[in-house]
Amino acid sequence: MRNLLVIVLLLVSAICFGQKSQMKTQYVKYRQNKGGYWTEWSGLKKTSVTVTINADEQRIIVHSSPQETYRILDFKPTQYIDDSLVQDYYCVDSSGKKCTITFVISKSENAIINLKYNNWQYIYSGYLL
């Protein structure tokens, strides 16, 4: 529980005081919405990209090829669900499409990023840097 409290304080300070938070991804899976129905999740694929939350610049950057940049429009207050820290960001990508990016940090300090658009969704899993 103490580790979770430390993580919460670090994340809140990053959001409030302009520090950067980073995550290294290990796996990704995705699905699409076709005709109003979500497809099955793809299998897990290995990946190794860094994701940065930069509160000063109100940006979330996925350092992939090509790099993906999301401008933070708004965010929900931090929630605690099943001993995990959950933070939702409402964003717009570089092409102007709106999406929701959810960060989940577990008690064991594993991290998940869920990028959700109307017609597709990606989930990256990894760890905090």
Side-chain angles (χ1 to χ4, degrees):
M1 187 66 175
R2 186 171 182 215
N3 286 342
L4 183 60
L5 180 60
V6 170
I7 292 169
V8 169
L9 292 175
L10 288 172
L11 188 60
V12 169
S13 69
I15 292 168
C16 296
F17 301 113
Q19 297 175 357
K20 291 182 185 179
S21 296
Q22 291 191 317
M23 171 189 166
K24 187 69 162 184
T25 65
Q26 296 174 301
Y27 298 98
V28 64
K29 64 182 179 179
Y30 61 90
R31 66 182 181 166
Q32 294 179 323
N33 189 328
K34 294 184 178 181
Y37 297 97
W38 287 99
T39 62
E40 294 293 320
W41 286 103
S42 69
L44 285 178
K45 296 181 180 183
K46 286 192 175 205
T47 184
S48 181
V49 297
T50 302
V51 179
T52 303
I53 303 172
N54 187 328
D56 281 343
E57 296 178 8
Q58 296 183 342
R59 299 272 189 263
I60 297 173
I61 301 168
V62 179
H63 300 276
S64 58
S65 182
Q67 180 173 291
E68 302 168 37
T69 302
Y70 302 89
R71 185 169 49 93
I72 300 170
L73 302 174
D74 199 4
F75 59 92
K76 274 188 181 178
T78 302
Q79 301 175 40
Y80 304 96
I81 301 172
D82 297 330
D83 287 333
S84 294
L85 170 72
V86 179
Q87 181 72 59
D88 290 316
Y89 295 93
Y90 303 102
C91 301
V92 63
D93 67 16
S94 57
S95 65
K97 294 179 184 173
K98 291 184 178 181
C99 63
T100 302
I101 300 176
T102 302
F103 282 86
V104 179
I105 301 170
S106 71
K107 190 174 182 178
S108 62
E109 299 184 17
N110 290 326
I112 295 172
I113 299 173
N114 181 347
L115 288 102
K116 187 172 185 181
Y117 287 83
N118 288 333
N119 59 346
W120 60 269
Q121 181 176 7
Y122 279 86
I123 294 181
Y124 290 95
S125 61
Y127 54 92
L128 296 175
L129 292 176

